[in-house]
Structure formats: structure tokens, C-alpha cells
Amino acid sequence: QSALTQPASVSGSPGQSITISCTGTSSDVGSYNLVSWYQQHPGKAPKLMIYEVSKRPSGVSNRFSGSKSGNTASLTISGLQAEDEADYYCCSYAGSRVFGGGTKLTVL
Amino acid sequence: QVQLVQSGAEVKKPGASVKVSCKVSGYTLTELSMHWVRQAPGKGLEWMGGFDPEDGETIYAQKFQGRVTMTEDTSTDTAYMELSSLRSEDTAVYYCATEAFDYWGQGTLVTVSS
């Protein structure tokens, strides 16, 4: 199973919105509403931000939202804040799991 | 609240094996399905395998099949991941995580060096 495709980096200014894409195939992202997103700060374990494409765990800011169209899932962060600067990973999880390559978000 | 506490850092020689533990608290291991994910230095997350409750079996990523074994000791609520025939490319932080990847251990650095 090949890794999902994410942009290597995105950036935005405080207060702006950014979107990170995650492209898979009809066998993974396109087949199931089982896509999750993780935030990882340097030296820390990943943190679940979105599951089942668009659901937020308790405690995650509503500035984070997820969606999917066809074989591509997306994570949108609105009202960018300095603490959002981190690496973000998508994951398709239907039986076996596959991660995206990760996207480094820089808050300018 | 689930807590996952992993064993400490390891240094191994090429060809050796390593066994990383993940102690569960807050829940019993039988209530969870544990998975393992690794991250090489400066690289992304890589799923290694985990327990599939629908099939009742542990499934492994194709890349690691034959080299990785994931086991559980329900008497101590501890999950284990053993990786054999280590090579330098296996140098990474190894994480345990619950099935939904909503809880993660703190990570265990495994360094493979001669």
C-alpha cells in the first residue's frame, strides 16, 4: 500500500485559513469515510485532530475541520495561531492503515 | 483516561532483535486494540501493524511481515512489539497507539548501530 500524498509544506499568516490535502486512491481514501488527521509538534507524539473524515475529538478546537471529495481528503485550519505550527499527517484506516507523508505548517 | 507508557531507549547492533513494551493504564488491554507506528529521524509516520478486532487477528504491514511480532500480556496489561534482523534503517522512534490512534505512548527510540 503506497503512502497517501500530502504537500510537503504550507504556510499562512495568523488569522488566515489554510487547507492541507491528502490524496489516495479508490482503494483507501475513496472507499471509506475512515480518514483521520494528526498534529505533531517536534519531539512529541502525534495528536488526533480529526477522525472519520470530519469528526473532532473532545477538546480539539473547532478551528480544525475535515472534508473529503473522491480520493482526496482535506484538513482546514481557520484563524491560524502560532501554536498551530507543526507537522500534520493524514491516515486512511480501513483494516490496514496508511499515512500520508506529512505536511509542515509554518505560521508566518 | 487511557495512558500508554513505553519502555526506555534501546541501542542494538545490526542483526539483533529489539522488544519494546507498552504498559496500559486506565483501561485493560482486552478493551483496547493496540497498534504500532514508527518514525525515522526527520521522516514521517509509518504504520507497522496492530490488532484487528473484526478479524480477531493481528495484521502487519507488508513491509514488516516476517520480521515483526506483536504480542500482548493481558495479566499485566502490557503490549509488546518485537522487531528482528535489525538494520540501520530501523533506527526510529517506535510508538504504541490505541486502535483509533486517539491515545499514544511517549515513544521509544531504537538506535541500530555497529
Side-chain angles (χ1 to χ4, degrees):
Chain A
Q1 213 169 3
S2 300
L4 307 178
T5 301
Q6 297 181 233
S9 63
V10 298
S11 62
S13 299
Q16 289 186 330
S17 295
I18 63 95
T19 296
I20 300 172
S21 62
C22 170
T23 301
T25 69
S26 57
S27 298
D28 41 56
V29 174
S31 286
Y32 310 97
N33 286 330
L34 296 175
V35 177
S36 53
W37 289 90
Y38 304 87
Q39 177 191 66
Q40 187 180 35
H41 287 108
K44 301 293 187 182
K47 175 186 177 183
L48 177 66
M49 305 302 285
I50 296 286
Y51 66 101
E52 293 180 11
V53 174
S54 60
K55 297 179 180 178
R56 272 190 312 275
S58 174
V60 172
S61 170
N62 59 9
R63 296 186 299 105
F64 292 82
S65 62
S67 62
K68 190 185 86 165
S69 177
N71 297 336
T72 298
S74 298
L75 172 72
T76 297
I77 308 173
S78 59
L80 268 180
Q81 298 179 1
E83 59 260 37
D84 298 332
E85 184 162 297
D87 295 325
Y88 290 84
Y89 296 89
C90 62
C91 178
S92 172
Y93 57 105
S96 61
R97 318 291 173 93
V98 61
F99 284 99
T103 298
K104 181 174 181 59
L105 169 62
T106 301
V107 180
L108 302 170
Chain B
Q1 182 82 348
V2 177
Q3 282 196 315
L4 307 177
V5 179
Q6 299 183 221
S7 48
E10 303 260 14
V11 179
K12 296 291 183 181
K13 293 194 181 303
S17 296
V18 68
K19 192 170 186 177
V20 179
S21 68
C22 173
K23 168 76 173 170
V24 175
S25 62
Y27 276 72
T28 63
L29 193 50
T30 54
E31 298 174 284
L32 305 171
S33 298
M34 203 62 62
H35 287 247
W36 293 85
V37 175
R38 78 176 187 180
Q39 186 170 35
K43 302 296 185 181
L45 302 173
E46 184 174 32
W47 177 74
M48 300 181 69
F51 186 76
D52 184 346
E54 290 195 7
D55 292 339
E57 295 182 351
T58 298
I59 53 175
Y60 300 117
Q62 191 169 9
K63 175 177 179 177
F64 300 102
Q65 282 189 3
R67 218 164 55 96
V68 69
T69 304
M70 296 172 187
T71 55
E72 297 180 348
D73 182 346
T74 54
S75 68
T76 61
D77 288 323
T78 304
Y80 298 92
M81 186 284 299
E82 184 170 20
L83 188 62
S84 61
S85 302
L86 290 169
R87 33 206 187 235
S88 58
E89 311 88 88
D90 294 318
T91 293
V93 175
Y94 290 77
Y95 293 101
C96 59
T98 51
E99 182 187 11
F101 290 172
D102 45 353
Y103 295 98
W104 294 69
Q106 83 277 19
T108 296
L109 176 61
V110 175
T111 303
V112 182
S113 173
S114 55

mmCIF file of all heavy atoms in Angstrom, chain B residues 45-84:
data_model
loop_
_atom_site.group_PDB
_atom_site.id
_atom_site.type_symbol
_atom_site.label_atom_id
_atom_site.label_comp_id
_atom_site.label_asym_id
_atom_site.label_seq_id
_atom_site.Cartn_x
_atom_site.Cartn_y
_atom_site.Cartn_z
ATOM 1 N N LEU B 45 5.357 9.345 9.651
ATOM 2 C CA LEU B 45 4.828 8.220 10.419
ATOM 3 C C LEU B 45 4.652 7.002 9.518
ATOM 4 O O LEU B 45 4.251 7.136 8.364
ATOM 5 C CB LEU B 45 3.476 8.598 11.038
ATOM 6 C CG LEU B 45 3.479 9.814 11.956
ATOM 7 C CD1 LEU B 45 2.054 10.179 12.361
ATOM 8 C CD2 LEU B 45 4.347 9.573 13.185
ATOM 9 N N GLU B 46 4.937 5.841 10.073
ATOM 10 C CA GLU B 46 4.840 4.603 9.303
ATOM 11 C C GLU B 46 4.130 3.556 10.156
ATOM 12 O O GLU B 46 4.624 3.170 11.219
ATOM 13 C CB GLU B 46 6.229 4.122 8.902
ATOM 14 C CG GLU B 46 6.242 2.889 8.026
ATOM 15 C CD GLU B 46 7.638 2.551 7.533
ATOM 16 O OE1 GLU B 46 8.621 2.811 8.256
ATOM 17 O OE2 GLU B 46 7.737 1.998 6.420
ATOM 18 N N TRP B 47 2.978 3.092 9.685
ATOM 19 C CA TRP B 47 2.220 2.079 10.415
ATOM 20 C C TRP B 47 2.888 0.721 10.258
ATOM 21 O O TRP B 47 3.266 0.328 9.153
ATOM 22 C CB TRP B 47 0.794 2.024 9.868
ATOM 23 C CG TRP B 47 -0.072 0.974 10.485
ATOM 24 C CD1 TRP B 47 -0.629 0.986 11.722
ATOM 25 C CD2 TRP B 47 -0.507 -0.237 9.871
ATOM 26 N NE1 TRP B 47 -1.365 -0.153 11.926
ATOM 27 C CE2 TRP B 47 -1.315 -0.924 10.804
ATOM 28 C CE3 TRP B 47 -0.281 -0.827 8.625
ATOM 29 C CZ2 TRP B 47 -1.910 -2.149 10.523
ATOM 30 C CZ3 TRP B 47 -0.881 -2.051 8.336
ATOM 31 C CH2 TRP B 47 -1.683 -2.699 9.292
ATOM 32 N N MET B 48 3.053 0.008 11.383
ATOM 33 C CA MET B 48 3.705 -1.304 11.360
ATOM 34 C C MET B 48 2.717 -2.450 11.453
ATOM 35 O O MET B 48 2.949 -3.526 10.889
ATOM 36 C CB MET B 48 4.704 -1.411 12.506
ATOM 37 C CG MET B 48 5.808 -0.369 12.462
ATOM 38 S SD MET B 48 6.959 -0.548 13.813
ATOM 39 C CE MET B 48 7.773 -2.098 13.367
ATOM 40 N N GLY B 49 1.644 -2.241 12.199
ATOM 41 C CA GLY B 49 0.662 -3.297 12.358
ATOM 42 C C GLY B 49 -0.158 -3.085 13.618
ATOM 43 O O GLY B 49 0.090 -2.161 14.392
ATOM 44 N N GLY B 50 -1.132 -3.971 13.822
ATOM 45 C CA GLY B 50 -1.964 -3.877 15.005
ATOM 46 C C GLY B 50 -3.060 -4.915 15.002
ATOM 47 O O GLY B 50 -3.231 -5.667 14.025
ATOM 48 N N PHE B 51 -3.801 -4.932 16.092
ATOM 49 C CA PHE B 51 -4.854 -5.925 16.269
ATOM 50 C C PHE B 51 -6.141 -5.462 15.591
ATOM 51 O O PHE B 51 -6.588 -4.334 15.786
ATOM 52 C CB PHE B 51 -5.110 -6.163 17.764
ATOM 53 C CG PHE B 51 -6.090 -7.272 18.024
ATOM 54 C CD1 PHE B 51 -5.715 -8.594 17.887
ATOM 55 C CD2 PHE B 51 -7.399 -6.996 18.405
ATOM 56 C CE1 PHE B 51 -6.604 -9.630 18.125
ATOM 57 C CE2 PHE B 51 -8.312 -8.008 18.648
ATOM 58 C CZ PHE B 51 -7.908 -9.338 18.504
ATOM 59 N N ASP B 52 -6.713 -6.327 14.761
ATOM 60 C CA ASP B 52 -7.961 -6.036 14.088
ATOM 61 C C ASP B 52 -9.076 -6.776 14.819
ATOM 62 O O ASP B 52 -9.186 -7.995 14.673
ATOM 63 C CB ASP B 52 -7.886 -6.475 12.624
ATOM 64 C CG ASP B 52 -9.135 -6.092 11.841
ATOM 65 O OD1 ASP B 52 -10.157 -5.738 12.481
ATOM 66 O OD2 ASP B 52 -9.098 -6.145 10.606
ATOM 67 N N PRO B 53 -9.905 -6.088 15.586
ATOM 68 C CA PRO B 53 -10.932 -6.774 16.384
ATOM 69 C C PRO B 53 -12.003 -7.444 15.532
ATOM 70 O O PRO B 53 -12.645 -8.391 15.990
ATOM 71 C CB PRO B 53 -11.516 -5.658 17.248
ATOM 72 C CG PRO B 53 -11.204 -4.400 16.512
ATOM 73 C CD PRO B 53 -9.912 -4.647 15.804
ATOM 74 N N GLU B 54 -12.172 -6.983 14.304
ATOM 75 C CA GLU B 54 -13.198 -7.591 13.447
ATOM 76 C C GLU B 54 -12.784 -8.996 13.033
ATOM 77 O O GLU B 54 -13.618 -9.895 12.953
ATOM 78 C CB GLU B 54 -13.443 -6.725 12.222
ATOM 79 C CG GLU B 54 -14.144 -5.408 12.541
ATOM 80 C CD GLU B 54 -14.695 -4.733 11.301
ATOM 81 O OE1 GLU B 54 -14.651 -5.343 10.210
ATOM 82 O OE2 GLU B 54 -15.179 -3.597 11.414
ATOM 83 N N ASP B 55 -11.506 -9.178 12.782
ATOM 84 C CA ASP B 55 -10.985 -10.499 12.390
ATOM 85 C C ASP B 55 -10.432 -11.272 13.584
ATOM 86 O O ASP B 55 -10.219 -12.471 13.493
ATOM 87 C CB ASP B 55 -9.869 -10.356 11.351
ATOM 88 C CG ASP B 55 -10.396 -9.840 10.026
ATOM 89 O OD1 ASP B 55 -11.617 -9.978 9.796
ATOM 90 O OD2 ASP B 55 -9.603 -9.316 9.231
ATOM 91 N N GLY B 56 -10.176 -10.544 14.679
ATOM 92 C CA GLY B 56 -9.594 -11.196 15.848
ATOM 93 C C GLY B 56 -8.150 -11.588 15.646
ATOM 94 O O GLY B 56 -7.640 -12.479 16.316
ATOM 95 N N GLU B 57 -7.493 -10.917 14.710
ATOM 96 C CA GLU B 57 -6.096 -11.244 14.409
ATOM 97 C C GLU B 57 -5.247 -9.976 14.361
ATOM 98 O O GLU B 57 -5.760 -8.884 14.139
ATOM 99 C CB GLU B 57 -5.993 -11.941 13.050
ATOM 100 C CG GLU B 57 -6.676 -13.298 13.003
ATOM 101 C CD GLU B 57 -6.498 -13.975 11.652
ATOM 102 O OE1 GLU B 57 -6.002 -13.329 10.706
ATOM 103 O OE2 GLU B 57 -6.851 -15.169 11.546
ATOM 104 N N THR B 58 -3.959 -10.186 14.533
ATOM 105 C CA THR B 58 -3.025 -9.081 14.370
ATOM 106 C C THR B 58 -2.635 -9.011 12.898
ATOM 107 O O THR B 58 -2.304 -10.030 12.288
ATOM 108 C CB THR B 58 -1.775 -9.291 15.232
ATOM 109 O OG1 THR B 58 -2.173 -9.336 16.611
ATOM 110 C CG2 THR B 58 -0.787 -8.145 15.031
ATOM 111 N N ILE B 59 -2.717 -7.820 12.334
ATOM 112 C CA ILE B 59 -2.324 -7.625 10.944
ATOM 113 C C ILE B 59 -1.056 -6.779 10.906
ATOM 114 O O ILE B 59 -0.877 -5.867 11.702
ATOM 115 C CB ILE B 59 -3.442 -6.962 10.115
ATOM 116 C CG1 ILE B 59 -3.930 -5.665 10.761
ATOM 117 C CG2 ILE B 59 -4.606 -7.922 9.932
ATOM 118 C CD1 ILE B 59 -4.952 -4.910 9.920
ATOM 119 N N TYR B 60 -0.182 -7.137 9.986
ATOM 120 C CA TYR B 60 1.102 -6.463 9.857
ATOM 121 C C TYR B 60 1.212 -5.790 8.503
ATOM 122 O O TYR B 60 0.726 -6.300 7.492
ATOM 123 C CB TYR B 60 2.251 -7.461 10.018
ATOM 124 C CG TYR B 60 2.267 -8.177 11.358
ATOM 125 C CD1 TYR B 60 2.110 -9.559 11.432
ATOM 126 C CD2 TYR B 60 2.457 -7.473 12.542
ATOM 127 C CE1 TYR B 60 2.133 -10.217 12.657
ATOM 128 C CE2 TYR B 60 2.483 -8.121 13.764
ATOM 129 C CZ TYR B 60 2.320 -9.493 13.818
ATOM 130 O OH TYR B 60 2.347 -10.137 15.045
ATOM 131 N N ALA B 61 1.844 -4.635 8.479
ATOM 132 C CA ALA B 61 2.145 -4.012 7.207
ATOM 133 C C ALA B 61 3.051 -4.949 6.409
ATOM 134 O O ALA B 61 3.943 -5.591 6.980
ATOM 135 C CB ALA B 61 2.829 -2.668 7.424
ATOM 136 N N GLN B 62 2.799 -5.001 5.125
ATOM 137 C CA GLN B 62 3.540 -5.940 4.271
ATOM 138 C C GLN B 62 5.051 -5.766 4.423
ATOM 139 O O GLN B 62 5.797 -6.739 4.420
ATOM 140 C CB GLN B 62 3.113 -5.724 2.823
ATOM 141 C CG GLN B 62 3.601 -6.789 1.862
ATOM 142 C CD GLN B 62 2.942 -6.677 0.499
ATOM 143 O OE1 GLN B 62 2.235 -5.719 0.200
ATOM 144 N NE2 GLN B 62 3.178 -7.667 -0.346
ATOM 145 N N LYS B 63 5.469 -4.535 4.587
ATOM 146 C CA LYS B 63 6.904 -4.238 4.681
ATOM 147 C C LYS B 63 7.581 -4.963 5.834
ATOM 148 O O LYS B 63 8.764 -5.293 5.763
ATOM 149 C CB LYS B 63 7.086 -2.728 4.842
ATOM 150 C CG LYS B 63 8.506 -2.266 5.071
ATOM 151 C CD LYS B 63 8.579 -0.755 5.153
ATOM 152 C CE LYS B 63 10.004 -0.286 5.416
ATOM 153 N NZ LYS B 63 10.097 1.200 5.416
ATOM 154 N N PHE B 64 6.822 -5.225 6.902
ATOM 155 C CA PHE B 64 7.426 -5.788 8.115
ATOM 156 C C PHE B 64 7.089 -7.265 8.328
ATOM 157 O O PHE B 64 7.583 -7.871 9.277
ATOM 158 C CB PHE B 64 6.966 -4.985 9.340
ATOM 159 C CG PHE B 64 7.351 -3.541 9.279
ATOM 160 C CD1 PHE B 64 6.434 -2.570 8.927
ATOM 161 C CD2 PHE B 64 8.650 -3.146 9.544
ATOM 162 C CE1 PHE B 64 6.788 -1.242 8.842
ATOM 163 C CE2 PHE B 64 9.025 -1.824 9.471
ATOM 164 C CZ PHE B 64 8.095 -0.859 9.121
ATOM 165 N N GLN B 65 6.240 -7.816 7.470
ATOM 166 C CA GLN B 65 5.838 -9.206 7.654
ATOM 167 C C GLN B 65 7.044 -10.129 7.658
ATOM 168 O O GLN B 65 7.932 -10.020 6.813
ATOM 169 C CB GLN B 65 4.841 -9.609 6.571
ATOM 170 C CG GLN B 65 3.445 -9.095 6.838
ATOM 171 C CD GLN B 65 2.396 -9.652 5.909
ATOM 172 O OE1 GLN B 65 2.684 -10.488 5.069
ATOM 173 N NE2 GLN B 65 1.172 -9.182 6.050
ATOM 174 N N GLY B 66 7.063 -11.021 8.636
ATOM 175 C CA GLY B 66 8.169 -11.950 8.788
ATOM 176 C C GLY B 66 9.265 -11.431 9.701
ATOM 177 O O GLY B 66 10.142 -12.191 10.128
ATOM 178 N N ARG B 67 9.219 -10.147 10.017
ATOM 179 C CA ARG B 67 10.281 -9.546 10.841
ATOM 180 C C ARG B 67 9.736 -8.951 12.133
ATOM 181 O O ARG B 67 10.498 -8.662 13.053
ATOM 182 C CB ARG B 67 10.982 -8.458 10.026
ATOM 183 C CG ARG B 67 12.484 -8.399 10.267
ATOM 184 C CD ARG B 67 13.188 -7.600 9.177
ATOM 185 N NE ARG B 67 12.720 -6.255 8.932
ATOM 186 C CZ ARG B 67 13.262 -5.167 9.456
ATOM 187 N NH1 ARG B 67 14.256 -5.291 10.328
ATOM 188 N NH2 ARG B 67 12.805 -3.963 9.122
ATOM 189 N N VAL B 68 8.422 -8.754 12.198
ATOM 190 C CA VAL B 68 7.827 -8.127 13.374
ATOM 191 C C VAL B 68 6.815 -9.074 14.018
ATOM 192 O O VAL B 68 6.124 -9.824 13.329
ATOM 193 C CB VAL B 68 7.144 -6.796 13.014
ATOM 194 C CG1 VAL B 68 5.896 -7.013 12.157
ATOM 195 C CG2 VAL B 68 6.791 -5.995 14.263
ATOM 196 N N THR B 69 6.764 -9.033 15.343
ATOM 197 C CA THR B 69 5.781 -9.808 16.091
ATOM 198 C C THR B 69 5.190 -8.919 17.169
ATOM 199 O O THR B 69 5.927 -8.312 17.957
ATOM 200 C CB THR B 69 6.417 -11.048 16.748
ATOM 201 O OG1 THR B 69 7.065 -11.847 15.751
ATOM 202 C CG2 THR B 69 5.349 -11.890 17.434
ATOM 203 N N MET B 70 3.871 -8.842 17.192
ATOM 204 C CA MET B 70 3.171 -8.040 18.205
ATOM 205 C C MET B 70 2.409 -8.985 19.115
ATOM 206 O O MET B 70 1.634 -9.813 18.634
ATOM 207 C CB MET B 70 2.231 -7.048 17.529
ATOM 208 C CG MET B 70 2.979 -6.041 16.699
ATOM 209 S SD MET B 70 1.933 -4.986 15.703
ATOM 210 C CE MET B 70 3.182 -4.126 14.732
ATOM 211 N N THR B 71 2.646 -8.852 20.410
ATOM 212 C CA THR B 71 2.015 -9.739 21.374
ATOM 213 C C THR B 71 1.432 -8.925 22.526
ATOM 214 O O THR B 71 1.673 -7.710 22.640
ATOM 215 C CB THR B 71 3.026 -10.755 21.942
ATOM 216 O OG1 THR B 71 4.145 -10.030 22.498
ATOM 217 C CG2 THR B 71 3.533 -11.682 20.855
ATOM 218 N N GLU B 72 0.658 -9.609 23.362
ATOM 219 C CA GLU B 72 0.047 -8.949 24.500
ATOM 220 C C GLU B 72 0.102 -9.859 25.720
ATOM 221 O O GLU B 72 -0.043 -11.082 25.595
ATOM 222 C CB GLU B 72 -1.411 -8.594 24.199
ATOM 223 C CG GLU B 72 -1.597 -7.609 23.069
ATOM 224 C CD GLU B 72 -3.056 -7.287 22.793
ATOM 225 O OE1 GLU B 72 -3.930 -8.004 23.332
ATOM 226 O OE2 GLU B 72 -3.322 -6.323 22.060
ATOM 227 N N ASP B 73 0.298 -9.264 26.883
ATOM 228 C CA ASP B 73 0.201 -9.977 28.154
ATOM 229 C C ASP B 73 -0.946 -9.328 28.908
ATOM 230 O O ASP B 73 -0.777 -8.269 29.520
ATOM 231 C CB ASP B 73 1.524 -9.869 28.912
ATOM 232 C CG ASP B 73 1.501 -10.631 30.225
ATOM 233 O OD1 ASP B 73 0.403 -11.021 30.675
ATOM 234 O OD2 ASP B 73 2.572 -10.842 30.803
ATOM 235 N N THR B 74 -2.105 -9.972 28.865
ATOM 236 C CA THR B 74 -3.281 -9.368 29.491
ATOM 237 C C THR B 74 -3.202 -9.398 31.017
ATOM 238 O O THR B 74 -3.902 -8.634 31.680
ATOM 239 C CB THR B 74 -4.565 -10.074 29.031
ATOM 240 O OG1 THR B 74 -4.447 -11.477 29.275
ATOM 241 C CG2 THR B 74 -4.793 -9.840 27.542
ATOM 242 N N SER B 75 -2.338 -10.247 31.566
ATOM 243 C CA SER B 75 -2.210 -10.295 33.025
ATOM 244 C C SER B 75 -1.535 -9.038 33.571
ATOM 245 O O SER B 75 -1.730 -8.676 34.733
ATOM 246 C CB SER B 75 -1.432 -11.543 33.456
ATOM 247 O OG SER B 75 -0.083 -11.459 33.056
ATOM 248 N N THR B 76 -0.750 -8.381 32.719
ATOM 249 C CA THR B 76 -0.066 -7.156 33.138
ATOM 250 C C THR B 76 -0.492 -5.953 32.300
ATOM 251 O O THR B 76 0.063 -4.855 32.459
ATOM 252 C CB THR B 76 1.457 -7.317 33.027
ATOM 253 O OG1 THR B 76 1.791 -7.578 31.651
ATOM 254 C CG2 THR B 76 1.969 -8.444 33.915
ATOM 255 N N ASP B 77 -1.470 -6.159 31.412
ATOM 256 C CA ASP B 77 -1.940 -5.067 30.534
ATOM 257 C C ASP B 77 -0.777 -4.422 29.784
ATOM 258 O O ASP B 77 -0.671 -3.187 29.703
ATOM 259 C CB ASP B 77 -2.717 -4.012 31.329
ATOM 260 C CG ASP B 77 -4.087 -4.506 31.760
ATOM 261 O OD1 ASP B 77 -4.721 -5.240 30.971
ATOM 262 O OD2 ASP B 77 -4.506 -4.191 32.886
ATOM 263 N N THR B 78 0.080 -5.263 29.242
ATOM 264 C CA THR B 78 1.250 -4.782 28.518
ATOM 265 C C THR B 78 1.283 -5.367 27.110
ATOM 266 O O THR B 78 1.136 -6.575 26.931
ATOM 267 C CB THR B 78 2.548 -5.139 29.261
ATOM 268 O OG1 THR B 78 2.492 -4.604 30.594
ATOM 269 C CG2 THR B 78 3.762 -4.564 28.537
ATOM 270 N N ALA B 79 1.468 -4.498 26.132
ATOM 271 C CA ALA B 79 1.631 -4.917 24.739
ATOM 272 C C ALA B 79 3.112 -4.857 24.376
ATOM 273 O O ALA B 79 3.863 -4.047 24.933
ATOM 274 C CB ALA B 79 0.827 -4.013 23.815
ATOM 275 N N TYR B 80 3.507 -5.723 23.457
ATOM 276 C CA TYR B 80 4.903 -5.804 23.040
ATOM 277 C C TYR B 80 5.016 -5.787 21.521
ATOM 278 O O TYR B 80 4.151 -6.313 20.813
ATOM 279 C CB TYR B 80 5.545 -7.087 23.559
ATOM 280 C CG TYR B 80 5.593 -7.213 25.059
ATOM 281 C CD1 TYR B 80 4.564 -7.844 25.755
ATOM 282 C CD2 TYR B 80 6.665 -6.700 25.780
ATOM 283 C CE1 TYR B 80 4.600 -7.956 27.132
ATOM 284 C CE2 TYR B 80 6.716 -6.815 27.165
ATOM 285 C CZ TYR B 80 5.676 -7.443 27.838
ATOM 286 O OH TYR B 80 5.715 -7.550 29.205
ATOM 287 N N MET B 81 6.106 -5.195 21.052
ATOM 288 C CA MET B 81 6.445 -5.230 19.636
ATOM 289 C C MET B 81 7.901 -5.660 19.537
ATOM 290 O O MET B 81 8.782 -5.006 20.081
ATOM 291 C CB MET B 81 6.250 -3.844 19.010
ATOM 292 C CG MET B 81 6.442 -3.759 17.495
ATOM 293 S SD MET B 81 8.146 -3.801 16.937
ATOM 294 C CE MET B 81 8.797 -2.346 17.748
ATOM 295 N N GLU B 82 8.118 -6.767 18.852
ATOM 296 C CA GLU B 82 9.479 -7.264 18.662
ATOM 297 C C GLU B 82 9.832 -7.193 17.184
ATOM 298 O O GLU B 82 9.096 -7.700 16.330
ATOM 299 C CB GLU B 82 9.621 -8.693 19.170
ATOM 300 C CG GLU B 82 11.052 -9.232 19.083
ATOM 301 C CD GLU B 82 11.231 -10.546 19.801
ATOM 302 O OE1 GLU B 82 10.226 -11.248 20.049
ATOM 303 O OE2 GLU B 82 12.380 -10.890 20.139
ATOM 304 N N LEU B 83 10.938 -6.565 16.885
ATOM 305 C CA LEU B 83 11.430 -6.431 15.515
ATOM 306 C C LEU B 83 12.787 -7.125 15.430
ATOM 307 O O LEU B 83 13.684 -6.848 16.245
ATOM 308 C CB LEU B 83 11.548 -4.964 15.118
ATOM 309 C CG LEU B 83 11.875 -4.659 13.659
ATOM 310 C CD1 LEU B 83 10.778 -5.174 12.722
ATOM 311 C CD2 LEU B 83 12.079 -3.162 13.454
ATOM 312 N N SER B 84 12.923 -8.022 14.465
ATOM 313 C CA SER B 84 14.148 -8.808 14.357
ATOM 314 C C SER B 84 14.980 -8.386 13.141
ATOM 315 O O SER B 84 14.553 -7.543 12.347
ATOM 316 C CB SER B 84 13.802 -10.300 14.258
ATOM 317 O OG SER B 84 13.023 -10.550 13.104
#
